[in-house]
Amino acid sequence: MSEWPVGVFASVDAGLGVHLDVVQELGIPTIQLHAPHRDSRTQETADTFLANCVDAGITITCVFGGFEGESYADIATCVRTVGLVPEETRSARVQEMKEISDFARKLGCSAVGLHIGFIPEDSSSDRYRQLVDATRDLLDHVGANGQTLHLETGQETADHLLEFIRCVERDNLFINFDPANMILYGTGEPIDALKKVGRYVRSVHCKDALWAPEDQRGIAWGQEVPLGDGAVNIRRYLETLKELGYDGPLTIEREIPEDRQQQKHDIGQAVRLLESLRAEILG
Ligand code: MG
């Protein structure tokens, strides 16, 4: 794969990402895939989807897990419902994430990703230690499948995420960096955060956002906007990725599945923006 191939979030069936025919129509060579529901995670589904990707010259670079019961309605609801942090659902979700890792393997994909949730603040607490243990258990399974696990950024500050990765002490734990999430969740200036966690970044999202009003940051969402229209500074973002030696895919994420027409339009524009910046920056 050449340096910085453009990518987009796609789905096997209905879901947040775009359908494969849209990926093809836009001429995008790589995808990250939202894992389909359990019923669809079969060998047959994997074989068919992979064959369609191969025919279209599309490479699957990461499979993202998500869980029943997660809600991004507002930040407080996120804290209660997202990822492996909520204790009531943790063991079932670790099990499901292992199954998603197995499905990714069927697709020949060597990376899986997820929002782990809002990692507890106190690293000496039982809650934190138990989350570390659950993450190690998952990582051992993912590792046995020959895969890395990428934690989506946004729900923690860069320092907090780094501390967690160090505590887990596994060599297949990395980061999927999403600059817009740092703004949406109010967890830090994205370029500064990227520099801090850079050595762990193995995949990235190209997404843009506007900050919530200053007194609302971390309480109310910022606003996701088309790539280039937000506060990330996409040129600086790509320049920083270059400084860090990142050469993986640039995966566009535009989370407006309620308006497929607009989503496709915005993704098309994002492709052109990334291609022109890539030509300038990589020369
Ligand atoms: Mg993202």
Side-chain angles (χ1 to χ4, degrees), residues 74-256:
D74 53 56
I75 293 179
T77 308
C78 256
V79 174
R80 276 190 295 106
T81 65
V82 169
L84 305 184
V85 173
E87 287 162 44
E88 323 73 69
T89 48
R90 184 180 296 148
S91 63
R93 287 179 176 180
V94 167
Q95 177 55 35
E96 181 158 18
M97 199 60 212
K98 290 178 182 176
E99 292 165 19
I100 289 169
S101 159
D102 296 344
F103 181 72
R105 185 180 176 179
K106 293 185 174 85
L107 289 166
C109 184
S110 62
V112 288
L114 89 162
H115 275 285
I116 199 163
F118 288 71
I119 296 168
E121 287 295 332
D122 180 1
S123 61
S124 63
S125 67
D126 285 346
R127 289 188 65 219
Y128 191 100
R129 300 310 312 176
Q130 286 157 6
L131 181 65
V132 167
D133 287 343
T135 307
R136 285 176 177 162
D137 175 33
L138 172 59
L139 282 163
D140 292 343
H141 185 95
V142 166
N145 277 336
Q147 296 161 331
T148 52
L149 178 71
H150 301 188
L151 300 181
E152 173 83 347
T153 58
Q155 294 165 343
E156 292 74 33
T157 63
D159 290 325
H160 193 188
L161 189 58
L162 278 178
E163 182 192 36
F164 182 72
I165 289 173
R166 288 184 190 127
C167 282
V168 173
E169 286 183 302
R170 286 291 187 278
D171 61 8
N172 61 332
L173 182 57
F174 294 99
I175 287 173
N176 181 89
F177 193 83
D178 185 326
N181 279 356
M182 305 305 294
I183 294 173
L184 290 168
Y185 289 89
T187 40
E189 205 287 311
I191 307 293
D192 292 345
L194 175 59
K195 287 177 182 166
K196 282 187 181 174
V197 303
R199 65 190 171 286
Y200 290 105
V201 172
R202 287 293 179 91
S203 55
V204 302
H205 287 160
C206 293
K207 187 169 95 187
D208 217 339
L210 298 168
W211 295 95
E214 195 141 7
D215 59 346
Q216 289 293 303
R217 283 181 197 170
I219 303 165
W221 289 123
Q223 187 196 350
E224 197 208 322
V225 295
L227 200 70
D229 291 356
V232 167
N233 189 343
I234 302 302
R235 175 187 294 273
R236 191 77 199 94
Y237 179 51
L238 296 186
E239 286 169 350
T240 307
L241 286 170
K242 186 183 181 212
E243 283 160 25
L244 291 165
Y246 177 82
D247 61 2
L250 304 175
T251 304
I252 298 161
E253 192 180 20
R254 183 72 176 119
E255 295 175 325
I256 47 166

